[in-house]
Amino acid sequence: MPLAQAVAILQKHCRIIKNVQVLYSEQSPLSHDLILNLTQDGIKLLFDAFNQRLKVIEVYDLTKVKLKYCGVHFNSQAIAPTIEQIDQSFGATHPGVYNSAEQLFHLNFRGLSFSFQLDSWTEAPKYEPNFAHGLASLQIPHGATVKRMYIYSGNSLQDTKAPGMPLSCFLGNVYAESVDVLRDGTGPSGLRLRLLAAGCGPGLLADAKMRVFERSVYFGDSCQDVLSMLGSPHKVFYKSEDKMKIHSPSPHKQVPSKCNDYFFNYFTLGVDILFDANTHKVKKFVLHTNYPGHYNFNIYHRCEFKIPLAIKKENADGQTETCTTYSKWDNIQELLGHPVEKPVVLHRSSSPNNTNPFGSTFCFGLQRMIFEVMQNNHIASVTLYGPPKPGAHLRTAELP
C-alpha cells in the first residue's frame, strides 16, 4: 500500500487512532525506512524509503493490542503470547535463532517473525549456539514471551522488499511506474509515462488484472489531448499570481491577464501540468519527488523520473547524463562540469503569518528546467518549460 493511502486511513480514524508520529531521516531520507508510529497502539508501519510502499508491520508493544490468527486469539489480556502459545497457534517451524547482541530469540515463519526476550542475563550463555556440534540455532526456553512481532512479504525479514501494489489499492486511480522526460535539441519536449491501472471492466475485482501501458504528452498539446492520454485530473487549480514574474527581464511590461493559467494536478502520478489561459495548451510540467521534510510532502505520490541532461565537455560533443528522482544536486553540478547560477530562494507558507517548519528551498535554472533543491541536497521538484513562444508574425500567419 502506498504511504498516502495509509495516512488517509489513519486520518479518517483520527478519533480512534491518535498520536501518530512520522519518523524519517532529515539528512539522508533514502538510508532509513519511512515510519508511521502508532504510539497508542504499539504498532509501527515501515515504508520503503525508495518506492514509499508498506514493507513491514511491527507490533512492538503487545500489551496494547489483541491479536488473533485464523479467528483464535494468541495475544490478549487473558492469553499471554508465550512460546507454547505461538507453537500451538502457528504450528511447527525451524528452531529459534539467538541474537546475542540484542539478547533476543527470533522465531521465523514465512512472512512472520516473533522476537522473544530472555528472562534474565544469566540465561544467555546457555543458549549461545554450539558451533562445535554444528548447532547454529536452538530451542527457545519454555515460558518465554513475545517482545516484538513482524509481518512482512517473503521468507526473511532482513531481505524483505515492499511487494508490488495490490489491485485493491488502485481504487480506480492510475499510477506511474516511471516517467521519462523527452528532449529535442533545445531542451525538454514532453513526458513519456509508463502507467499502471487495475483493469476496469465488468466482473468482480478478483477477475481484475494489472494493466501496463505507455502514454506521451508534449508541450503544445491541447487540454483535450492530455485528458485523452491521462484521464481526468484529481484537481484543477487556477493560478492567482505568478511569484516568479519579478525575475523576468521586463516585469513592468507584462499586462495583467484577464484569465488565469490553470494546472491539472495528477496526485497519483506525481505530476502537474500547466495550461495557458488563452490557448489552452501545455506550457509547463512539474514533477514531484515527495521527500519527507518538504512542504508538499504526502500531497503527491513520488514521480520516478529520468531526465537526460546535455553535458558540454571538451572530448565529447552532445553527451547526455541522466538525472533521476534520487540524484543529489551536487552530483548534477559535477556532471555538468560547472556550477549553476545563484539560486532563487523559495519560502512556502500557507499564509503570511504562518511559518514553514521545513525551511526554504533553492531553485536553480538549467536547460529550460527549474530544479527545486532541499537543504539536504535532494531534489524536491523539477519544473519543465516549453520552448519560447514564436514571434507575433508567426502566430498571425497561423490564423485562418
Side-chain angles (χ1 to χ4, degrees), residues 186-206:
T186 60
S189 60
L191 303 178
R192 183 171 61 235
L193 301 100
R194 186 174 166 83
L195 302 173
L196 305 174
C200 298
L204 300 169
L205 184 66

Side-chain angles (χ1 to χ4, degrees), residues 77-98:
Q77 288 174 333
I79 301 167
T82 60
I83 177 59
E84 289 81 10
Q85 181 63 50
I86 298 301
D87 195 40
Q88 184 185 331
S89 296
F90 292 91
T93 186
H94 298 291
V97 179
Y98 179 66

Side-chain angles (χ1 to χ4, degrees), residues 316-332:
D317 191 37
Q319 187 184 346
T320 61
E321 293 281 356
T322 304
C323 159
T324 72
T325 309
Y326 310 108
S327 300
K328 286 195 158 186
W329 182 244
D330 283 358
N331 300 348
I332 294 170

